[in-house]
Amino acid sequence: MLRKITKITNLLVAMVSFMSIVPANAAEVKKIEATEGTIYSGYAKGNGIYFTGEINGKDEAAYYISEDGEYHKIDGLDAGYEATNLLINKYLVLDDDNYVDLTDNYKALNGNITEDLEDEAETIVRKKIRADNDGRFDKSSYDGSKIIEATMEGSAKFLSGSNGLAIYDYTLKNPGINKTKSTIYSDLKGNYVDADYNLGSLKVCTTSDSVIIKNTEDTYEIKDNTKAYELKAELKEKKYITSVANTIYRYADLTIYRKEKGADDATYVPVTNELGFGKNGYNVTSGDSVTVLQKFLNEPAANDIDGIKYSKNSSIYFIADEDGNKEYLLGRSAADAVAKVGAATGGKAKIAGSTQALYGTYLDVTNKKIYSETLNLKSKNGFNYIDIGDYDSSDTDTLDQIPTPNGLACFLDDGYIKIWDGNESFVKLYKVDGAMDDFSISTKNNLIVWTEDDGVYSVIHNITKATNAETSADSTGTTAVTSATDNSKTTITGWIQNTDNTWNYILDSGTKKTGWLNNNGTWYYLNSEGTMQTGWINDNGTWYFCNTSGAMLSDTTIEGYQLGSNGAWVS
């Protein structure tokens, strides 16, 4: 019975979320049959798949499966080329001098298009900085700033090939205490922000006082017992992590300085390790500076700093738990993975994200093992920290990459494609031929898996298309799905994921299930449009709670609210 409508409404706002993960126990693991054919290389990106090989008795060639499910033979392209990236959702990158234009009849192109676009992006942002600058940057940097080299798979300098995100250093006209440059993040269109200015609301305290530091330009007064001090913060670029839509995540070094107010010979000295952060004054570093995780929007605030745009929303998170204790992140580095789980050095660490959370993964190449965990950015008593969920580990046949569709680590293991569930464990996504030893995936519904030695492969493309389509080439070289298993004529039943990452359950009749669904003993709730719901659910005045995988909870307490054996809120 609903007793406190205001309280539960506030709780709903705080807790309801939608996760694009496979619902736990939602359906039997789908078995994908293998098709005869030799695949040399495959690359799934966005809603399409590029691959090279010999299929249906044809000579070796390069193909691209477009979003509509059609197979396109790429003329004039040697089948030895592997794809490495998709640039601004237009150009398929093969190497520095070979591309495929996906918007112009899948033409093979020569020339370094990536470098040309990087130069164009640099020119655009420089012109905008020159026009906006009103004293923040030294004019000499207009001609001297160069795009920072960034090491990223499939990219030379762009941090993100999908939107041309890149970072630049510009020289400050008035250098800081220990800082001469500021870092600009900009996309291909020149939409930029100065990432080193906005700190959000960083609460800093002494034993007797506290203050909120909002940016790296102003000074802030604070008392420590009987003395008054001026505080100043500086933020320096350390490493780009990932971006989701317009939200960017990076590591940065934060340093807090102070000098005694009014003293003639006072100079700023680093005191990061002497101060506390948040209401309870957590101490999080033993050095002059501390590495933090910054989350900010690549959207400008209404105001500017000396003409230069800065992020309208930025927050600093300490790599610590809610009590200020140091945390190790599996996806941060091999050193962190070694310290946390005893993994071997020399592996690959990666943090990826979705709109719901960040996910850290470490691939232990030596022991053929993969680890994952979910990272939620939270705040308690004015202290921003990282809430790390339980990690899981698994053996894996995939040793050279960490695919992360929608941020979730995905890998091949003993005939199964497995994926991080966004919570605390790996789940089986598909059952494939046990001989398969390589795959590429961009979404759960768009992947190719194969074994070159045994001459078999499988394609899963947007669910509604044939999963293992045989193809036939017409006179133009374009191939079309002709398999009898073309699902445009066959009803798909069970759970399906939509392009917006929501979930529906399709009945045998082909209609969407609505209301409560009992699937393998687990209850799920689908709204009137057939979309699976998570969080608090009001069903005719009775409240229930479904976790991030959609499963209804029972016999437990959520944020102080007790759920009965039937899942209903009882008190």
Side-chain angles (χ1 to χ4, degrees):
M1 177 175 282
L2 188 61
R3 298 187 180 92
K4 297 181 179 179
I5 186 67
T6 301
K7 185 174 183 181
I8 194 69
T9 300
N10 291 338
L11 186 61
L12 277 168
V13 172
M15 297 189 64
V16 172
S17 63
F18 294 90
M19 296 289 283
S20 58
I21 59 178
V22 179
N25 303 317
E28 296 295 328
V29 178
K30 184 175 179 61
K31 183 177 181 180
I32 306 300
E33 298 298 331
T35 296
E36 290 187 4
T38 301
I39 301 296
Y40 306 145
S41 68
Y43 183 72
K45 190 72 173 179
N47 293 321
I49 301 173
Y50 168 88
F51 70 92
T52 62
E54 303 171 45
I55 59 173
N56 299 326
K58 305 295 183 182
D59 292 337
E60 61 181 27
Y63 297 89
Y64 186 79
I65 308 175
S66 56
E67 186 172 358
D68 58 9
E70 296 226 352
Y71 284 55
H72 305 268
K73 183 177 179 293
I74 302 173
D75 292 328
L77 185 65
D78 189 284
Y81 284 108
E82 296 184 12
T84 61
N85 198 11
L86 181 60
L87 186 60
I88 60 172
N89 294 316
K90 179 178 180 179
Y91 300 105
L92 192 66
V93 183
L94 307 181
D95 59 26
D96 287 346
D97 296 308
N98 289 278
Y99 296 75
V100 176
D101 190 338
L102 302 181
T103 63
D104 187 12
N105 296 314
Y106 306 93
K107 289 182 180 178
L109 303 175
N110 296 116
N112 197 325
I113 295 175
T114 302
E115 186 175 86
D116 292 343
L117 286 174
E118 287 169 347
D119 290 343
E120 179 184 340
E122 186 178 354
T123 299
I124 291 173
V125 72
R126 183 183 293 136
K127 286 181 178 179
K128 289 197 172 186
I129 293 293
R130 179 186 291 113
D132 293 343
N133 186 48
D134 190 23
R136 180 160 176 80
F137 295 129
D138 189 277
K139 293 182 179 180
S140 63
S141 65
Y142 299 158
D143 299 321
S145 70
K146 295 295 180 182
I147 191 169
I148 298 174
E149 293 285 351
T151 302
M152 187 177 180
E153 181 180 354
S155 176
K157 295 179 182 178
F158 282 139
L159 298 170
S160 172
S162 62
N163 59 8
L165 183 67
I167 52 179
Y168 308 81
D169 271 348
Y170 277 85
T171 302
L172 293 166
K173 183 176 182 180
N174 299 306
I177 300 167
N178 190 29
K179 184 178 175 68
T180 59
K181 296 183 178 181
S182 199
T183 304
I184 294 291
Y185 274 73
S186 179
D187 64 18
L188 189 62
K189 296 179 180 179
N191 300 313
Y192 78 87
V193 293
D194 186 326
D196 294 354
Y197 174 77
N198 189 0
L199 297 179
S201 295
L202 183 64
K203 188 167 188 175
V204 177
C205 57
T206 64
T207 56
S208 58
D209 198 7
S210 65
V211 68
I212 301 295
I213 297 180
K214 296 189 174 186
N215 61 63
T216 57
E217 290 299 314
D218 295 330
T219 58
Y220 301 86
E221 184 175 335
I222 196 170
K223 294 180 180 178
D224 191 357
N225 296 320
T226 60
K227 292 184 178 181
Y229 295 92
E230 287 183 357
L231 294 184
K232 193 173 180 64
E234 287 188 345
L235 201 62
K236 290 185 178 181
E237 174 76 23
K238 190 173 182 70
K239 184 181 180 182
Y240 166 80
I241 300 176
T242 189
S243 58
V244 180
N246 286 334
T247 301
I248 299 171
Y249 301 86
R250 69 163 178 171
Y251 296 120
D253 285 334
L254 171 71
T255 309
I256 309 294
Y257 298 89
R258 80 177 180 191
K259 71 175 181 179
E260 188 174 348
K261 190 175 182 181
D264 294 336
D265 59 349
T267 58
Y268 280 106
V269 295
V271 290
T272 318
N273 63 320
E274 299 178 25
L275 297 171
F277 297 91
K279 180 179 179 181
N280 295 325
Y282 300 122
N283 185 270
V284 294
T285 179
S286 58
D288 290 343
S289 63
V290 58
T291 298
V292 296
L293 188 155
Q294 184 186 12
K295 173 185 177 182
F296 62 96
L297 290 179
N298 190 28
E299 297 177 13
N303 298 320
D304 58 66
I305 173 64
D306 295 331
I308 298 301
K309 299 178 178 67
Y310 59 86
S311 175
K312 71 177 183 180
N313 193 327
S314 175
S315 298
I316 297 296
Y317 294 86
F318 293 96
I319 305 175
D321 63 17
E322 62 180 336
D323 297 321
N325 300 311
K326 179 180 179 180
E327 289 277 26
Y328 294 99
L329 309 182
L330 287 173
R332 183 182 178 188
S333 65
D336 272 30
V338 171
K340 184 163 189 173
V341 299
T345 59
K348 296 183 177 181
K350 181 178 182 180
I351 290 180
S354 69
T355 55
Q356 292 80 28
L358 294 176
Y359 312 101
T361 300
Y362 184 72
L363 185 61
D364 185 338
V365 177
T366 301
N367 297 309
K368 299 182 179 181
K369 209 171 189 66
I370 191 170
Y371 300 83
S372 273
E373 62 189 8
T374 296
L375 314 175
N376 289 294
L377 305 183
K378 293 189 176 182
S379 181
K380 178 182 178 182
N381 297 324
F383 179 67
N384 293 343
Y385 66 97
I386 302 178
D387 181 25
I388 305 177
D390 294 336
Y391 72 84
D392 193 13
S393 64
S394 174
D395 295 331
T396 176
D397 304 331
T398 308
L399 296 177
D400 60 348
Q401 59 178 333
I402 309 177
T404 51
N406 200 39
L408 306 170
C410 192
F411 58 95
L412 188 62
D413 176 36
D414 196 24
Y416 286 96
I417 294 176
K418 297 181 180 179
I419 194 167
W420 181 244
D421 70 352
N423 188 19
E424 61 183 11
S425 61
F426 294 115
V427 295
K428 295 175 180 177
L429 187 59
Y430 295 110
K431 176 73 175 75
V432 298
D433 188 293
M436 302 290 193
D437 56 12
D438 211 344
F439 84 114
S440 181
I441 180 172
S442 62
T443 71
K444 300 178 188 68
N445 303 328
N446 192 65
L447 65 92
I448 182 170
V449 55
W450 72 93
T451 173
E452 181 177 346
D453 292 340
D454 288 5
V456 291
Y457 72 99
S458 297
V459 170
I460 302 167
H461 182 64
N462 292 335
I463 290 296
T464 57
K465 300 297 179 182
T467 55
N468 295 289
E470 294 182 0
T471 58
S472 58
D474 60 23
S475 58
T476 65
T478 299
T479 62
V481 176
T482 59
S483 170
T485 60
D486 186 340
N487 287 325
S488 63
K489 303 175 183 178
T490 304
T491 300
I492 296 294
T493 61
W495 291 102
I496 64 168
Q497 186 183 25
N498 304 308
T499 56
D500 62 356
N501 293 323
T502 58
W503 287 89
N504 301 127
Y505 189 90
I506 306 301
L507 301 172
D508 292 340
S509 62
T511 60
K512 297 177 183 178
K513 170 66 176 174
T514 60
W516 288 103
L517 167 70
N518 188 334
N519 187 241
N520 295 330
T522 300
W523 285 97
Y524 302 86
Y525 187 81
L526 303 104
N527 67 15
S528 60
E529 297 180 351
T531 302
M532 186 191 78
Q533 303 294 285
T534 62
W536 286 101
I537 294 165
N538 185 351
D539 182 27
N540 293 321
T542 301
W543 289 92
Y544 302 85
F545 186 83
C546 294
N547 66 15
T548 54
S549 68
M552 185 195 76
L553 302 184
S554 61
D555 290 324
T556 188
T557 300
I558 302 295
E559 293 293 322
Y561 296 91
Q562 183 181 348
L563 304 177
S565 58
N566 64 350
W569 172 41
V570 294
S571 64

